[in-house]
Amino acid sequence: MAQNLLSRRKALQLFSGAPLLPLGSVVSASSLLAACGGGDDDTPTTPTTPPVTKNYVSASFTAMAAPSLTTPANMATMYVASQLKVAFDDKSEQVYDLGYQPFFVTGDMVSDGKGGQLLAGGYYDIYNNKIIDKTVSGKERHFFSDSPDGTSLLTVPNAKVDGVKGQPVFAVVQFEYTTWAQDGTTDMYGKLPSPIAVLTLDQDQTTGKLSLVKYHNVDTSKVHGLWITCGASLSPWGTHLSSEEYEPDAFSIASNTMFQAYSQNLYGDSSKANPYHYGHMPEVIVNVDGTATIKKHFCMGRISHELVQVMPDQRTALMGDDATNSGYFVFVADKEKDLSSGTLYAAKVGAGFSIDPAAKSAAPLTWIKLGSATSAEIENLANTLKPTDIMTVSKTDPSDSSYTKIVANGKTEWIKINAGMDKAAAFLETHRYAAFKGASLGFTKMEGTTVNAKDKIAYSALQNVQSSMVAGNAANVAGNGVSVPKQLVAGVVMALNLKGGQKDTTGTAINSEWMPVDTAALLAGEDLLDTDGKTLKGDALGNTANPNKIANPDNLKFSEKMRTLFIGEDSSQHVNNFMWAYNVDTKQLSRVLSVPAGGESTGLHAVDEINGWTYIMSNFQHAGDWGGIHANVKTQLDPLIKANYKDKFGSAVGYITASPAQMKLSAK
């Protein structure tokens, strides 16, 4: 993504218009970038004059205006008109114009590194055969995704890939779903097994530019295929932590036509896929040649995994849970760099919960231990158990004291755990079991998570505050701590302080120095309301949330170097969704990027340094997926988006670039 932001080990020459984000030190008038805080081993390229190193101090983003119908072309593409300002210790600064560079648009043919080509975002069944879209007779074609999502940028020691002239860098990209079949009327959401790919990128050591050399489709057959892979993160040990969102309800699977279609496309058999194999946390390990292996961690809870953030201890994972009646879940691994065994916790929220950033206090969190397990033993349970082996679920009150009333997935249920099945319930029916144990399952669409390690603060996105979070709603559970007076559809970003020395609700010590101890609102969106103060009312363009504030936050990533929280939107309230940069020290919120109207900002990933360069990755999904808010723009923008992105079947995977806005440093 962002091309080189942080020249840390080398002096790198700036070329006008070259795609790079240099967050390093600048050297003399020759416009060389040198490493910020570089040591004695810095090895500059050969300048004509000795470089004078100036040390990086800070970075800030200059906000761009939201695109409008005065420039409809900007509303129909990945549009970037923001700037990056880098300050140095000699009181000078360098300004960079930001841009966007895609590696591909899904549906493109890309190199497989072996002399052949593969379809970017293409779908494969459990036998690694192409899945064919047959909805238009005579135009059958390989299905491909319009919804790339979680992306990780990483390196592998001793990597060597044919065709790389600079340094090999890898991007792991997962494709969440495809919206429509090519007939434009057949809804394909959740009906295809999610592909995941490794991109081998050639990093130019002079400019930091990344170029696609090889596309490798990861074989997921050994993990039963993947289900709706959404957000992702990079583990501290350099692997891609994926997700499986909206775990299919095993108790109602017989009537779940979407899951049956998924099973048909995966196995060629509508009844073969096992719901207990999905809703887990996959991990992708990239090999030195740009191929990869994958495994699923069945012991991290079967929830609506949105994004897992592993803390600097390399053991503690805070997990997004994108569901109605979702909760805060933490997994503490037994060993560093190994998520295959550990203990799962769910939070109970104390008094004082608020979504108002002006509130002076945070709501405390206490932690309920749900269980300890290995991935292997839970996968074995998933292979052998039926849902009725684990618990009994009643949709009506059985008038039996042995049942416990809960609210799960927005619906009231009464459940009874079968004898000896607590572990199976904890890890295969995690939402129901956490509610049974008294955890606060009242959140709605808890999306991305990330961590500010220096301050020991985690951030968590609530895409919206509705239904189960609102007092008086049928899905709201009285006394669970998650209750606000009225909805905020535009959502909020929460901040969670992290500490050690914590005990679970039984008084047993939790073996982690990175447990969330409270939660408070950091940033909130603003609904645009009618005179009744309740009904959403669009502005002239159609936005039903203030376009100059965040709305429906989803992807979150934090840059330690820039002290910046990046926020990507999944909004049905902004006509164009945006990606924002929020400096946690200056409190400045800046709009950095706008995705095509009707699309969602995805794939956000900020990497402070790879071989001396900093990158910000960004994708988008389903451009031109029109809703009610697009009534004023649809007619004008639809043909533009179709022309840009394969009749709206394609979406871009790429990164933010930077080039010097001025070739001379200006003193402040």
Side-chain angles (χ1 to χ4, degrees):
M1 255 235 167
Q3 290 218 38
N4 296 346
L5 264 172
L6 216 166
S7 184
R8 204 168 216 192
R9 289 288 179 190
K10 302 176 183 178
L12 300 172
Q13 188 170 8
L14 276 175
F15 295 98
S16 179
L20 82 166
L21 267 181
L23 264 198
S25 309
V26 175
V27 295
S28 73
S30 63
S31 295
L32 297 178
L33 288 176
C36 160
D40 295 336
D41 61 344
D42 288 351
T43 306
T45 55
T46 305
T48 56
T49 58
V52 179
T53 301
K54 297 175 181 181
N55 292 316
Y56 163 82
V57 173
S58 64
S60 62
F61 290 86
T62 300
M64 72 179 207
S68 68
L69 282 177
T70 59
T71 53
N74 293 341
M75 298 183 70
T77 190
M78 274 292 241
Y79 174 61
V80 186
S82 51
Q83 292 183 316
L84 171 71
K85 293 184 178 181
V86 181
F88 301 94
D89 61 359
D90 68 343
K91 307 300 182 184
S92 64
E93 69 177 20
Q94 175 71 65
V95 179
Y96 298 91
D97 292 328
L98 302 183
Y100 182 73
Q101 178 63 51
F103 300 124
F104 55 76
V105 172
T106 57
D108 286 350
M109 298 305 295
V110 292
S111 173
D112 66 359
K114 303 174 183 178
Q117 291 190 313
L118 293 172
L119 182 70
Y123 286 89
Y124 299 86
D125 64 18
I126 200 73
Y127 312 107
N128 290 309
N129 298 315
K130 297 176 182 178
I131 301 177
I132 305 301
D133 181 347
K134 301 177 181 178
T135 57
V136 178
S137 179
K139 295 185 178 180
E140 293 79 5
R141 71 182 187 189
H142 189 183
F143 264 116
F144 61 90
S145 176
D146 67 341
S147 296
D149 205 312
T151 301
S152 297
L153 194 70
L154 55 93
T155 58
V156 175
N158 303 313
K160 183 174 176 57
V161 182
D162 290 343
V164 174
K165 298 177 181 178
Q167 291 291 327
V169 174
F170 304 102
V172 183
V173 182
Q174 56 196 45
F175 301 89
E176 186 177 3
Y177 57 89
T178 198
T179 308
W180 303 103
Q182 64 172 323
D183 64 1
T185 60
T186 302
D187 183 356
M188 295 304 299
Y189 179 82
K191 296 178 180 178
L192 295 166
S194 294
I196 192 162
V198 178
L199 315 182
T200 297
L201 307 170
D202 187 348
Q203 185 191 51
D204 187 305
Q205 294 303 287
T206 301
T207 66
K209 180 180 179 181
L210 300 174
S211 301
L212 179 63
V213 171
K214 173 182 176 180
Y215 182 104
H216 170 74
N217 192 69
V218 179
D219 179 1
T220 64
S221 60
K222 293 182 180 179
V223 295
H224 317 288
L226 299 178
W227 166 265
I228 312 180
T229 53
C230 196
S233 67
L234 180 67
S235 74
W237 52 94
T239 60
H240 175 87
L241 302 181
S242 181
S243 57
E244 290 188 309
E245 193 178 39
Y246 307 128
E247 79 282 12
D249 184 3
F251 282 89
S252 61
I253 209 67
S255 61
N256 188 331
T257 56
M258 179 176 70
F259 189 75
Q260 290 164 12
Y262 171 85
S263 181
Q264 181 67 40
N265 284 312
L266 180 63
Y267 287 105
D269 182 336
S270 63
S271 62
K272 189 169 183 178
N274 177 354
Y276 282 145
H277 286 158
Y278 309 99
H280 301 287
M281 209 294 294
E283 181 177 13
V284 177
I285 303 94
V286 178
N287 301 320
V288 295
D289 62 352
T291 62
T293 57
I294 187 170
K295 54 188 173 183
K296 275 187 191 179
H297 297 295
F298 287 77
C299 55
M300 297 181 71
R302 185 171 168 270
I303 60 176
S304 187
H305 283 290
E306 167 74 17
L307 192 152
V308 171
Q309 177 62 57
V310 177
M311 301 302 167
D313 66 350
Q314 305 191 87
R315 294 175 53 251
T316 305
L318 175 63
M319 297 179 280
D321 183 24
D322 186 7
T324 299
N325 294 108
S326 58
Y328 285 128
F329 291 91
V330 165
F331 177 78
V332 180
D334 293 332
K335 300 176 182 178
E336 293 182 4
K337 305 181 184 182
D338 182 357
L339 301 174
S340 65
S341 67
T343 301
L344 181 64
Y345 298 90
K348 187 167 183 63
V349 181
F353 179 80
S354 173
I355 58 169
D356 181 3
K360 301 299 182 182
S361 60
L365 300 175
T366 53
W367 292 93
I368 299 169
K369 178 181 176 179
L370 300 183
S372 298
T374 68
S375 181
E377 65 180 315
I378 301 305
E379 183 176 12
N380 182 60
L381 293 177
N383 292 341
T384 56
L385 294 178
K386 300 185 297 294
T388 51
D389 294 331
I390 300 171
M391 63 176 64
T392 304
V393 176
S394 175
K395 302 297 182 182
T396 58
D397 187 353
S399 299
D400 183 338
S401 61
S402 66
Y403 284 77
T404 299
K405 181 182 178 181
I406 65 166
V407 179
N409 301 313
K411 299 177 181 179
T412 300
E413 298 176 341
W414 288 260
I415 69 170
K416 179 168 67 173
I417 310 298
N418 295 344
M421 286 292 166
D422 282 81
K423 180 173 285 192
F427 292 95
L428 295 178
E429 291 289 343
T430 307
H431 278 133
R432 288 184 170 102
Y433 190 72
F436 169 79
K437 296 290 284 186
S440 295
L441 293 194
F443 295 101
T444 51
K445 293 192 70 62
M446 186 182 293
E447 304 269 358
T449 60
T450 191
V451 64
N452 168 353
K454 178 181 177 182
D455 298 331
K456 292 195 79 169
I457 297 173
Y459 305 105
S460 176
L462 291 172
Q463 186 184 3
N464 50 54
V465 178
Q466 293 178 287
S467 60
S468 62
M469 294 188 69
V470 181
N473 188 283
N476 182 255
V477 180
N480 76 356
V482 184
S483 185
V484 296
K486 65 176 185 177
Q487 70 176 13
L488 177 62
V489 182
V492 62
V493 175
M494 306 298 291
L496 299 84
N497 285 304
L498 305 167
K499 295 183 180 179
Q502 303 304 299
K503 296 181 179 180
D504 65 25
T505 52
T506 68
T508 303
I510 299 174
N511 186 19
S512 171
E513 295 297 311
W514 295 84
M515 290 297 293
V517 296
D518 57 30
T519 182
L522 176 72
L523 291 171
E526 179 187 350
D527 293 342
L528 299 180
L529 302 174
D530 207 341
T531 53
D532 63 4
K534 297 179 181 179
T535 306
L536 294 176
K537 182 179 181 180
D539 62 13
L541 193 64
N543 298 299
T544 60
N546 187 337
N548 294 317
K549 294 185 178 181
I550 64 169
N552 311 118
D554 188 341
N555 283 199
L556 297 181
K557 284 294 185 294
F558 187 76
S559 167
E560 297 284 343
K561 188 69 184 180
M562 290 182 276
R563 299 284 295 161
T564 296
L565 176 66
F566 294 98
I567 304 163
E569 295 181 339
D570 176 10
S571 179
S572 59
Q573 295 184 266
H574 282 168
V575 172
N576 285 88
N577 278 331
F578 308 123
M579 193 257 277
W580 303 85
Y582 176 73
N583 188 291
V584 297
D585 297 322
T586 66
K587 315 302 181 189
Q588 178 182 349
L589 179 67
S590 304
R591 182 188 290 107
V592 174
L593 175 152
S594 172
V595 307
E600 171 187 342
S601 176
T602 62
L604 177 60
H605 181 48
V607 184
D608 278 344
E609 182 183 2
I610 289 185
N611 299 325
W613 300 96
T614 294
Y615 296 87
I616 305 169
M617 314 302 292
S618 186
N619 311 329
F620 69 82
Q621 295 184 348
H622 52 71
D625 188 15
W626 305 121
I629 66 169
H630 299 105
N632 297 338
V633 304
K634 177 180 177 179
T635 300
Q636 193 166 358
L637 297 185
D638 198 61
L640 298 177
I641 292 177
K642 284 182 175 179
N644 288 341
Y645 300 110
K646 296 181 169 63
D647 284 333
K648 302 195 300 186
F649 290 105
S651 293
V653 172
Y655 66 108
I656 293 175
T657 64
S659 56
Q662 53 192 47
M663 293 305 294
K664 292 183 180 180
L665 296 176
S666 58
K668 292 183 179 178

